[in-house]
């Protein structure tokens, strides 16, 4: 039997490719990367709009910051009216906080407004987080962030604070009998044959069954694995450094406490307070000092 590309792929990587869903970064990147039509299809359903036309779409877009943290955005798109879209696929609840969205908005805006332009020329921006689960546990298909002033109009409604930034959380658990419910189903299954939308199923099938597509998927799985391993290593190094610093501070405090105990000028309570140690620690040190004298 002739050898195929599948014979040369690590079986573990191949199993990972088979299990990928659109809610996973690896497959999402492959499906939407540079594909205006697929991105347009996605945004139309998310915003329930049929008139939207995407003219530019990119995935894993790096926004660099010379003075602070840079960010990598899952999907960045622009429509024919120059409205901007940032769509993030988020599986962990911890990565969907308000401060992250605040930073995304700041990075997008700072890279959009050119010199000489007025603030009013900032484009309308949509930041949309597709979450694997319903982190707010209210059963809503979409949670929209509404910004208001503490001032009411004549009908008793709070006045809107319009900064042209629209923030939405999409409930990945939603399975309503409508376009969004079907989309969230498709985002959650690894099987292209179970998908409602052929626009997505066709591309998923290519990356899971076609030799060339599987090869591409395997490569990105390996790249993401290497990237996550590097991040974990860097995090471990940083934690180790911080732990070492804390241990050094603790050791200095203990040595200072021992000297003060030997001088017998301060009470254990005063030493504990001065050195940032617990009273129990100082009393144990006092026993050691007394035993050695």
């Amino acid at each position: 039997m002739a050898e195929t590309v599948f014979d040369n792929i690590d079986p573990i990587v191949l199993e990972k490719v088979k299990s990928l869903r659109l809610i996973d970064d690896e497959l999402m990147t492959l499906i939407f990367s540079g594909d205006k039509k697929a991105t347009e299809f996605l945004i139309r359903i998310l915003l329930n709009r049929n008139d939207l036309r995407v003219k530019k779409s990119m995935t894993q877009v790096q926004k660099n910051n010379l003075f602070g943290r840079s960010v990598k955005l899952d999907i960045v798109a622009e429509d024919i009216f120059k409205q901007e879209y940032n769509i993030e696929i988020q599986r962990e609840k911890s990565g969907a906080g308000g401060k992250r969205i605040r930073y995304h908005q700041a990075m997008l805006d700072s890279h959009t407004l050119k010199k000489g332009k007025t603030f009013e020329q900032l484009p309308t921006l949509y930041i949309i987080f597709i979450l694997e689960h319903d982190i707010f546990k209210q059963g809503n298909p979409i949670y929209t962030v509404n910004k208001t002033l503490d001032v009411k109009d004549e009908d008793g409604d709070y006045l809107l604070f319009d900064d042209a930034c629209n923030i939405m959380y999409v409930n990945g658990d939603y399975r309503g009998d409508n376009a969004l419910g079907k989309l969230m189903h498709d985002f959650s299954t690894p099987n292209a044959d179970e998908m409602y939308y052929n626009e997505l199923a066709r591309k998923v099938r290519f990356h899971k069954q076609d030799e060339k597509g599987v090869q591409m998927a395997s490569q990105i799985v390996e790249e993401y694995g290497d990237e996550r391993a590097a991040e974990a290593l860097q995090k471990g190094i940083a934690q180790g450094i911080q732990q070492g610093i804390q241990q050094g501070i603790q050791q200095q405090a203990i040595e200072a406490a021992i000297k003060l105990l030997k001088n017998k000028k301060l009470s254990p309570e005063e030493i504990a307070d001065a050195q940032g140690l617990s009273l129990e620690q100082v009393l144990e040190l006092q026993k050691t000092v007394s035993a050695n004298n």
Side-chain angles (χ1 to χ4, degrees):
M1 183 180 293
E3 188 178 75
T4 69
V5 68
F6 301 107
D7 298 316
N8 297 317
I9 297 175
D10 185 331
I12 296 176
V13 173
L14 198 56
E15 283 303 311
K16 175 65 175 176
V17 170
K18 291 178 181 178
S19 68
L20 287 175
R21 304 164 300 159
L22 284 170
I23 200 71
D24 297 309
D25 282 339
E26 297 94 331
L27 189 58
M28 177 279 301
T29 298
L30 286 167
I31 299 304
F32 294 102
S33 180
D35 192 328
K36 294 185 291 185
K37 285 297 180 184
T39 305
E40 181 178 289
F41 175 79
L42 174 64
I43 299 174
R44 280 185 167 200
I45 294 178
L46 294 176
L47 298 184
N48 193 25
R49 285 177 53 186
N50 291 323
D51 61 333
L52 192 141
R53 293 285 186 275
V54 168
K55 73 170 188 178
K56 186 193 306 180
S57 174
M58 297 174 288
T59 59
Q60 300 306 316
V61 179
Q62 184 78 22
K63 295 292 184 181
N64 295 314
N65 183 356
L66 294 175
F67 305 103
R69 177 172 176 170
S70 299
V71 294
K72 184 180 285 187
L73 307 177
D74 285 346
I75 300 175
V76 175
E78 181 183 309
D79 68 17
I80 59 174
F81 300 109
K82 296 191 178 299
Q83 295 184 127
E84 301 281 336
Y85 304 85
N86 169 215
I87 302 171
E88 294 294 315
I89 311 298
Q90 186 61 44
R91 295 185 59 187
E92 299 296 330
K93 178 180 178 180
S94 60
K99 288 186 177 179
R100 179 180 177 185
I101 290 179
R102 168 184 163 187
Y103 200 72
H104 276 213
Q105 179 182 350
M107 291 296 288
L108 284 160
D109 286 345
S110 65
H111 283 75
T112 300
L113 197 64
K114 306 301 181 183
K115 284 185 177 181
K117 300 292 184 180
T118 68
F119 294 119
E120 292 302 316
Q121 290 175 287
L122 272 172
T124 296
L125 172 64
Y126 290 85
I127 298 179
I128 305 170
F129 271 63
I130 300 177
L131 307 173
E132 183 174 18
H133 299 297
D134 184 2
I135 65 172
F136 301 110
K137 302 187 183 303
Q138 300 299 310
N140 295 354
I142 290 178
Y143 299 92
T144 302
V145 176
N146 295 312
K147 303 173 188 176
T148 62
L149 299 169
D150 58 348
V151 178
K152 295 182 179 179
D153 61 19
E154 57 187 17
D155 296 321
D157 298 320
Y158 286 103
L159 297 178
L160 291 177
F161 177 78
D162 186 12
D163 61 356
C165 179
N166 306 279
I167 299 168
M168 299 162 50
Y169 291 95
V170 182
N171 175 6
D173 286 329
Y174 179 67
R175 295 293 183 274
D177 186 22
N178 56 17
L180 182 62
K182 292 175 181 177
L183 180 68
M184 290 302 97
H185 167 273
D186 286 2
F187 261 74
S188 300
T189 178
N191 188 351
D193 295 333
E194 294 179 353
M195 290 183 169
Y196 287 103
Y197 293 113
N198 188 55
E199 293 89 340
L200 300 176
R202 176 177 50 82
K203 298 194 70 177
V204 170
R205 194 175 290 111
F206 169 73
H207 287 294
K208 287 176 176 279
Q209 299 177 16
D210 183 88
E211 285 194 10
K212 184 177 179 181
V214 171
Q215 202 166 21
M216 293 168 63
S218 299
Q219 182 178 351
I220 199 168
V221 164
E222 291 176 341
E223 289 173 355
Y224 268 70
D226 292 342
E227 187 176 305
R228 286 169 182 147
E231 288 175 355
L233 176 61
Q234 193 63 36
K235 185 177 180 180
I237 291 172
Q239 289 176 338
I241 292 172
Q242 186 61 31
Q243 185 178 6
I245 292 172
Q246 292 299 324
Q247 288 175 346
I249 294 172
Q250 179 83 350
Q251 186 59 37
Q252 288 178 348
I254 290 171
E255 291 173 0
I258 290 172
K259 290 181 180 178
L260 291 170
L261 285 167
K262 288 179 178 179
N263 289 337
K264 299 180 180 180
K265 292 183 178 180
L266 297 175
S267 68
E269 291 81 2
E270 290 171 324
I271 294 173
D273 184 58
Q275 298 304 321
L277 299 171
S278 68
L279 180 58
E280 290 75 13
Q281 285 177 299
V282 176
L283 291 175
E284 284 298 317
L285 292 172
Q286 189 178 48
K287 290 178 185 177
T288 303
V289 170
S290 299
N292 292 333
N293 287 338

